[in-house]
Amino acid sequence: MQALTTSERDGLANMLRERKQMMRDEIREGLAKMRAEGHEDVLAGTPDAGDEGLAMLVTEVTNAEVARDAAELRDILAAEARIASGRYAICIDCEEPIPYARLAAYPTAKRCIGCQEIHEAARGRARPA
Ligand SMILES: [Zn+2]
């Protein structure tokens, strides 16, 4: 069953491609920043915190941003693989078509809204989008 028209699918594929490029750039920048910063610049305004603790904090924050971008990049690559295999826009749980409106807002969606809610409830936490 195909939920999308060809032009809808092509438009979403374009969105994914642009987003993929953005994530690649952000990950590269994040990694370059981590290497370049040395984590010393943030210490000036916070004399009470231990140097090592602050350096670790910055490293963790930057890593979290990079990790989040990397996770999104993986989602995008998986969505592109589903497009290539003809499984895009089909819920991986119930195999019903995922509505275009949901994909337009969230092109890497792999579940319909109903299954996504069940999935998130099962994991005990909600994810944005
Ligand atoms: Zn579903």
PDB file of all heavy atoms in Angstrom, residues 28-56:
ATOM      1  N   ARG A  28      30.217  17.872  12.251  1.00  0.00           N
ATOM      2  CA  ARG A  28      31.601  18.285  11.977  1.00  0.00           C
ATOM      3  C   ARG A  28      31.974  19.500  12.806  1.00  0.00           C
ATOM      4  O   ARG A  28      33.048  19.560  13.380  1.00  0.00           O
ATOM      5  CB  ARG A  28      31.759  18.619  10.492  1.00  0.00           C
ATOM      6  CG  ARG A  28      31.986  17.397   9.639  1.00  0.00           C
ATOM      7  CD  ARG A  28      32.620  17.804   8.299  1.00  0.00           C
ATOM      8  NE  ARG A  28      32.210  16.888   7.256  1.00  0.00           N
ATOM      9  CZ  ARG A  28      31.217  17.136   6.392  1.00  0.00           C
ATOM     10  NH1 ARG A  28      30.571  18.269   6.434  1.00  0.00           N
ATOM     11  NH2 ARG A  28      30.887  16.253   5.485  1.00  0.00           N
ATOM     12  N   GLU A  29      31.056  20.475  12.866  1.00  0.00           N
ATOM     13  CA  GLU A  29      31.330  21.692  13.637  1.00  0.00           C
ATOM     14  C   GLU A  29      31.474  21.359  15.117  1.00  0.00           C
ATOM     15  O   GLU A  29      32.337  21.893  15.800  1.00  0.00           O
ATOM     16  CB  GLU A  29      30.193  22.704  13.451  1.00  0.00           C
ATOM     17  CG  GLU A  29      30.314  23.515  12.177  1.00  0.00           C
ATOM     18  CD  GLU A  29      29.061  24.351  11.926  1.00  0.00           C
ATOM     19  OE1 GLU A  29      28.370  24.690  12.904  1.00  0.00           O
ATOM     20  OE2 GLU A  29      28.774  24.637  10.751  1.00  0.00           O
ATOM     21  N   GLY A  30      30.578  20.519  15.614  1.00  0.00           N
ATOM     22  CA  GLY A  30      30.618  20.145  17.024  1.00  0.00           C
ATOM     23  C   GLY A  30      31.930  19.484  17.389  1.00  0.00           C
ATOM     24  O   GLY A  30      32.540  19.793  18.420  1.00  0.00           O
ATOM     25  N   LEU A  31      32.377  18.587  16.551  1.00  0.00           N
ATOM     26  CA  LEU A  31      33.635  17.886  16.819  1.00  0.00           C
ATOM     27  C   LEU A  31      34.820  18.834  16.714  1.00  0.00           C
ATOM     28  O   LEU A  31      35.745  18.788  17.533  1.00  0.00           O
ATOM     29  CB  LEU A  31      33.795  16.717  15.841  1.00  0.00           C
ATOM     30  CG  LEU A  31      32.784  15.586  16.020  1.00  0.00           C
ATOM     31  CD1 LEU A  31      32.960  14.536  14.934  1.00  0.00           C
ATOM     32  CD2 LEU A  31      32.906  14.949  17.396  1.00  0.00           C
ATOM     33  N   ALA A  32      34.768  19.730  15.712  1.00  0.00           N
ATOM     34  CA  ALA A  32      35.855  20.696  15.551  1.00  0.00           C
ATOM     35  C   ALA A  32      35.911  21.627  16.759  1.00  0.00           C
ATOM     36  O   ALA A  32      36.983  21.976  17.257  1.00  0.00           O
ATOM     37  CB  ALA A  32      35.663  21.499  14.268  1.00  0.00           C
ATOM     38  N   LYS A  33      34.709  22.011  17.246  1.00  0.00           N
ATOM     39  CA  LYS A  33      34.632  22.897  18.407  1.00  0.00           C
ATOM     40  C   LYS A  33      35.207  22.210  19.642  1.00  0.00           C
ATOM     41  O   LYS A  33      35.936  22.812  20.421  1.00  0.00           O
ATOM     42  CB  LYS A  33      33.162  23.273  18.643  1.00  0.00           C
ATOM     43  CG  LYS A  33      32.973  24.620  19.315  1.00  0.00           C
ATOM     44  CD  LYS A  33      31.549  25.133  19.144  1.00  0.00           C
ATOM     45  CE  LYS A  33      30.609  24.419  20.094  1.00  0.00           C
ATOM     46  NZ  LYS A  33      29.209  24.862  19.951  1.00  0.00           N
ATOM     47  N   MET A  34      34.860  20.945  19.830  1.00  0.00           N
ATOM     48  CA  MET A  34      35.378  20.212  20.976  1.00  0.00           C
ATOM     49  C   MET A  34      36.898  20.169  20.957  1.00  0.00           C
ATOM     50  O   MET A  34      37.554  20.329  21.979  1.00  0.00           O
ATOM     51  CB  MET A  34      34.832  18.776  20.966  1.00  0.00           C
ATOM     52  CG  MET A  34      33.394  18.691  21.426  1.00  0.00           C
ATOM     53  SD  MET A  34      32.668  17.076  21.047  1.00  0.00           S
ATOM     54  CE  MET A  34      33.657  16.020  22.097  1.00  0.00           C
ATOM     55  N   ARG A  35      37.453  19.957  19.742  1.00  0.00           N
ATOM     56  CA  ARG A  35      38.912  19.895  19.634  1.00  0.00           C
ATOM     57  C   ARG A  35      39.537  21.266  19.851  1.00  0.00           C
ATOM     58  O   ARG A  35      40.564  21.392  20.502  1.00  0.00           O
ATOM     59  CB  ARG A  35      39.303  19.373  18.247  1.00  0.00           C
ATOM     60  CG  ARG A  35      39.197  17.868  18.128  1.00  0.00           C
ATOM     61  CD  ARG A  35      39.905  17.389  16.858  1.00  0.00           C
ATOM     62  NE  ARG A  35      39.259  17.897  15.646  1.00  0.00           N
ATOM     63  CZ  ARG A  35      38.302  17.244  14.979  1.00  0.00           C
ATOM     64  NH1 ARG A  35      37.896  16.072  15.409  1.00  0.00           N
ATOM     65  NH2 ARG A  35      37.750  17.746  13.912  1.00  0.00           N
ATOM     66  N   ALA A  36      38.896  22.302  19.277  1.00  0.00           N
ATOM     67  CA  ALA A  36      39.493  23.642  19.292  1.00  0.00           C
ATOM     68  C   ALA A  36      39.381  24.317  20.654  1.00  0.00           C
ATOM     69  O   ALA A  36      40.268  25.058  21.051  1.00  0.00           O
ATOM     70  CB  ALA A  36      38.836  24.511  18.220  1.00  0.00           C
ATOM     71  N   GLU A  37      38.277  24.082  21.371  1.00  0.00           N
ATOM     72  CA  GLU A  37      38.003  24.839  22.593  1.00  0.00           C
ATOM     73  C   GLU A  37      38.959  24.518  23.722  1.00  0.00           C
ATOM     74  O   GLU A  37      39.383  25.388  24.450  1.00  0.00           O
ATOM     75  CB  GLU A  37      36.566  24.576  23.061  1.00  0.00           C
ATOM     76  CG  GLU A  37      35.581  25.559  22.478  1.00  0.00           C
ATOM     77  CD  GLU A  37      34.154  25.183  22.849  1.00  0.00           C
ATOM     78  OE1 GLU A  37      33.968  24.152  23.522  1.00  0.00           O
ATOM     79  OE2 GLU A  37      33.244  25.910  22.450  1.00  0.00           O
ATOM     80  N   GLY A  38      39.255  23.262  23.911  1.00  0.00           N
ATOM     81  CA  GLY A  38      40.060  22.902  25.061  1.00  0.00           C
ATOM     82  C   GLY A  38      39.278  23.065  26.363  1.00  0.00           C
ATOM     83  O   GLY A  38      39.758  22.792  27.435  1.00  0.00           O
ATOM     84  N   HIS A  39      38.057  23.592  26.284  1.00  0.00           N
ATOM     85  CA  HIS A  39      37.128  23.707  27.414  1.00  0.00           C
ATOM     86  C   HIS A  39      37.601  24.645  28.507  1.00  0.00           C
ATOM     87  O   HIS A  39      37.130  24.581  29.622  1.00  0.00           O
ATOM     88  CB  HIS A  39      36.820  22.325  28.014  1.00  0.00           C
ATOM     89  CG  HIS A  39      36.417  21.343  26.979  1.00  0.00           C
ATOM     90  ND1 HIS A  39      35.355  21.549  26.145  1.00  0.00           N
ATOM     91  CD2 HIS A  39      36.943  20.153  26.641  1.00  0.00           C
ATOM     92  CE1 HIS A  39      35.265  20.508  25.316  1.00  0.00           C
ATOM     93  NE2 HIS A  39      36.207  19.653  25.595  1.00  0.00           N
ATOM     94  N   GLU A  40      38.563  25.540  28.218  1.00  0.00           N
ATOM     95  CA  GLU A  40      39.084  26.421  29.256  1.00  0.00           C
ATOM     96  C   GLU A  40      38.342  27.755  29.305  1.00  0.00           C
ATOM     97  O   GLU A  40      38.294  28.393  30.345  1.00  0.00           O
ATOM     98  CB  GLU A  40      40.571  26.681  29.021  1.00  0.00           C
ATOM     99  CG  GLU A  40      41.425  25.472  29.386  1.00  0.00           C
ATOM    100  CD  GLU A  40      42.596  25.309  28.434  1.00  0.00           C
ATOM    101  OE1 GLU A  40      42.897  26.259  27.704  1.00  0.00           O
ATOM    102  OE2 GLU A  40      43.190  24.222  28.446  1.00  0.00           O
ATOM    103  N   ASP A  41      37.745  28.156  28.198  1.00  0.00           N
ATOM    104  CA  ASP A  41      37.151  29.488  28.117  1.00  0.00           C
ATOM    105  C   ASP A  41      35.949  29.668  29.043  1.00  0.00           C
ATOM    106  O   ASP A  41      35.673  30.760  29.489  1.00  0.00           O
ATOM    107  CB  ASP A  41      36.750  29.801  26.670  1.00  0.00           C
ATOM    108  CG  ASP A  41      35.950  28.694  26.045  1.00  0.00           C
ATOM    109  OD1 ASP A  41      35.933  27.587  26.616  1.00  0.00           O
ATOM    110  OD2 ASP A  41      35.330  28.921  25.004  1.00  0.00           O
ATOM    111  N   VAL A  42      35.220  28.619  29.338  1.00  0.00           N
ATOM    112  CA  VAL A  42      34.025  28.763  30.174  1.00  0.00           C
ATOM    113  C   VAL A  42      34.355  28.927  31.642  1.00  0.00           C
ATOM    114  O   VAL A  42      33.497  29.251  32.452  1.00  0.00           O
ATOM    115  CB  VAL A  42      33.082  27.543  30.030  1.00  0.00           C
ATOM    116  CG1 VAL A  42      32.471  27.513  28.648  1.00  0.00           C
ATOM    117  CG2 VAL A  42      33.816  26.275  30.373  1.00  0.00           C
ATOM    118  N   LEU A  43      35.598  28.716  32.049  1.00  0.00           N
ATOM    119  CA  LEU A  43      35.943  28.741  33.468  1.00  0.00           C
ATOM    120  C   LEU A  43      35.972  30.152  34.030  1.00  0.00           C
ATOM    121  O   LEU A  43      35.759  30.343  35.222  1.00  0.00           O
ATOM    122  CB  LEU A  43      37.302  28.083  33.697  1.00  0.00           C
ATOM    123  CG  LEU A  43      37.371  26.620  33.252  1.00  0.00           C
ATOM    124  CD1 LEU A  43      38.784  26.085  33.488  1.00  0.00           C
ATOM    125  CD2 LEU A  43      36.367  25.784  34.013  1.00  0.00           C
ATOM    126  N   ALA A  44      36.194  31.163  33.219  1.00  0.00           N
ATOM    127  CA  ALA A  44      36.403  32.523  33.687  1.00  0.00           C
ATOM    128  C   ALA A  44      35.226  33.037  34.518  1.00  0.00           C
ATOM    129  O   ALA A  44      35.412  33.640  35.572  1.00  0.00           O
ATOM    130  CB  ALA A  44      36.639  33.442  32.490  1.00  0.00           C
ATOM    131  N   GLY A  45      34.004  32.803  34.084  1.00  0.00           N
ATOM    132  CA  GLY A  45      32.845  33.362  34.762  1.00  0.00           C
ATOM    133  C   GLY A  45      32.343  32.553  35.940  1.00  0.00           C
ATOM    134  O   GLY A  45      31.396  32.950  36.607  1.00  0.00           O
ATOM    135  N   THR A  46      32.951  31.423  36.201  1.00  0.00           N
ATOM    136  CA  THR A  46      32.444  30.550  37.268  1.00  0.00           C
ATOM    137  C   THR A  46      33.584  30.078  38.157  1.00  0.00           C
ATOM    138  O   THR A  46      33.969  28.921  38.143  1.00  0.00           O
ATOM    139  CB  THR A  46      31.725  29.320  36.665  1.00  0.00           C
ATOM    140  OG1 THR A  46      32.619  28.719  35.713  1.00  0.00           O
ATOM    141  CG2 THR A  46      30.440  29.700  35.984  1.00  0.00           C
ATOM    142  N   PRO A  47      34.115  30.992  38.997  1.00  0.00           N
ATOM    143  CA  PRO A  47      35.312  30.685  39.789  1.00  0.00           C
ATOM    144  C   PRO A  47      35.084  29.618  40.857  1.00  0.00           C
ATOM    145  O   PRO A  47      36.046  29.048  41.360  1.00  0.00           O
ATOM    146  CB  PRO A  47      35.665  32.032  40.421  1.00  0.00           C
ATOM    147  CG  PRO A  47      34.391  32.795  40.410  1.00  0.00           C
ATOM    148  CD  PRO A  47      33.626  32.333  39.217  1.00  0.00           C
ATOM    149  N   ASP A  48      33.842  29.355  41.234  1.00  0.00           N
ATOM    150  CA  ASP A  48      33.597  28.430  42.327  1.00  0.00           C
ATOM    151  C   ASP A  48      33.651  26.963  41.907  1.00  0.00           C
ATOM    152  O   ASP A  48      33.837  26.073  42.734  1.00  0.00           O
ATOM    153  CB  ASP A  48      32.228  28.701  42.967  1.00  0.00           C
ATOM    154  CG  ASP A  48      32.224  30.048  43.684  1.00  0.00           C
ATOM    155  OD1 ASP A  48      33.296  30.478  44.148  1.00  0.00           O
ATOM    156  OD2 ASP A  48      31.153  30.672  43.755  1.00  0.00           O
ATOM    157  N   ALA A  49      33.399  26.705  40.634  1.00  0.00           N
ATOM    158  CA  ALA A  49      33.356  25.322  40.180  1.00  0.00           C
ATOM    159  C   ALA A  49      34.767  24.805  39.937  1.00  0.00           C
ATOM    160  O   ALA A  49      35.665  25.556  39.567  1.00  0.00           O
ATOM    161  CB  ALA A  49      32.539  25.219  38.904  1.00  0.00           C
ATOM    162  N   GLY A  50      34.951  23.537  40.185  1.00  0.00           N
ATOM    163  CA  GLY A  50      36.249  22.921  39.921  1.00  0.00           C
ATOM    164  C   GLY A  50      36.545  22.901  38.437  1.00  0.00           C
ATOM    165  O   GLY A  50      35.644  22.705  37.621  1.00  0.00           O
ATOM    166  N   ASP A  51      37.795  23.147  38.120  1.00  0.00           N
ATOM    167  CA  ASP A  51      38.172  23.205  36.708  1.00  0.00           C
ATOM    168  C   ASP A  51      37.818  21.910  35.981  1.00  0.00           C
ATOM    169  O   ASP A  51      37.258  21.919  34.894  1.00  0.00           O
ATOM    170  CB  ASP A  51      39.677  23.444  36.566  1.00  0.00           C
ATOM    171  CG  ASP A  51      40.081  24.819  37.038  1.00  0.00           C
ATOM    172  OD1 ASP A  51      39.182  25.568  37.494  1.00  0.00           O
ATOM    173  OD2 ASP A  51      41.264  25.158  36.960  1.00  0.00           O
ATOM    174  N   GLU A  52      38.149  20.831  36.625  1.00  0.00           N
ATOM    175  CA  GLU A  52      37.957  19.554  35.971  1.00  0.00           C
ATOM    176  C   GLU A  52      36.467  19.270  35.780  1.00  0.00           C
ATOM    177  O   GLU A  52      36.038  18.785  34.735  1.00  0.00           O
ATOM    178  CB  GLU A  52      38.597  18.453  36.814  1.00  0.00           C
ATOM    179  CG  GLU A  52      39.250  17.368  35.974  1.00  0.00           C
ATOM    180  CD  GLU A  52      39.889  16.320  36.869  1.00  0.00           C
ATOM    181  OE1 GLU A  52      40.579  16.711  37.832  1.00  0.00           O
ATOM    182  OE2 GLU A  52      39.677  15.128  36.616  1.00  0.00           O
ATOM    183  N   GLY A  53      35.673  19.621  36.792  1.00  0.00           N
ATOM    184  CA  GLY A  53      34.230  19.393  36.703  1.00  0.00           C
ATOM    185  C   GLY A  53      33.611  20.186  35.568  1.00  0.00           C
ATOM    186  O   GLY A  53      32.786  19.677  34.819  1.00  0.00           O
ATOM    187  N   LEU A  54      34.029  21.435  35.430  1.00  0.00           N
ATOM    188  CA  LEU A  54      33.497  22.270  34.356  1.00  0.00           C
ATOM    189  C   LEU A  54      33.918  21.759  32.992  1.00  0.00           C
ATOM    190  O   LEU A  54      33.123  21.708  32.068  1.00  0.00           O
ATOM    191  CB  LEU A  54      33.976  23.712  34.524  1.00  0.00           C
ATOM    192  CG  LEU A  54      33.087  24.601  35.374  1.00  0.00           C
ATOM    193  CD1 LEU A  54      33.724  25.984  35.488  1.00  0.00           C
ATOM    194  CD2 LEU A  54      31.700  24.700  34.790  1.00  0.00           C
ATOM    195  N   ALA A  55      35.152  21.377  32.890  1.00  0.00           N
ATOM    196  CA  ALA A  55      35.641  20.862  31.616  1.00  0.00           C
ATOM    197  C   ALA A  55      34.840  19.625  31.219  1.00  0.00           C
ATOM    198  O   ALA A  55      34.464  19.446  30.068  1.00  0.00           O
ATOM    199  CB  ALA A  55      37.123  20.527  31.691  1.00  0.00           C
ATOM    200  N   MET A  56      34.570  18.791  32.212  1.00  0.00           N
ATOM    201  CA  MET A  56      33.781  17.594  31.945  1.00  0.00           C
ATOM    202  C   MET A  56      32.369  17.968  31.520  1.00  0.00           C
ATOM    203  O   MET A  56      31.786  17.358  30.636  1.00  0.00           O
ATOM    204  CB  MET A  56      33.712  16.702  33.195  1.00  0.00           C
ATOM    205  CG  MET A  56      34.972  15.918  33.462  1.00  0.00           C
ATOM    206  SD  MET A  56      35.478  14.910  32.023  1.00  0.00           S
ATOM    207  CE  MET A  56      34.061  13.813  31.898  1.00  0.00           C
TER     208      MET A  56
END
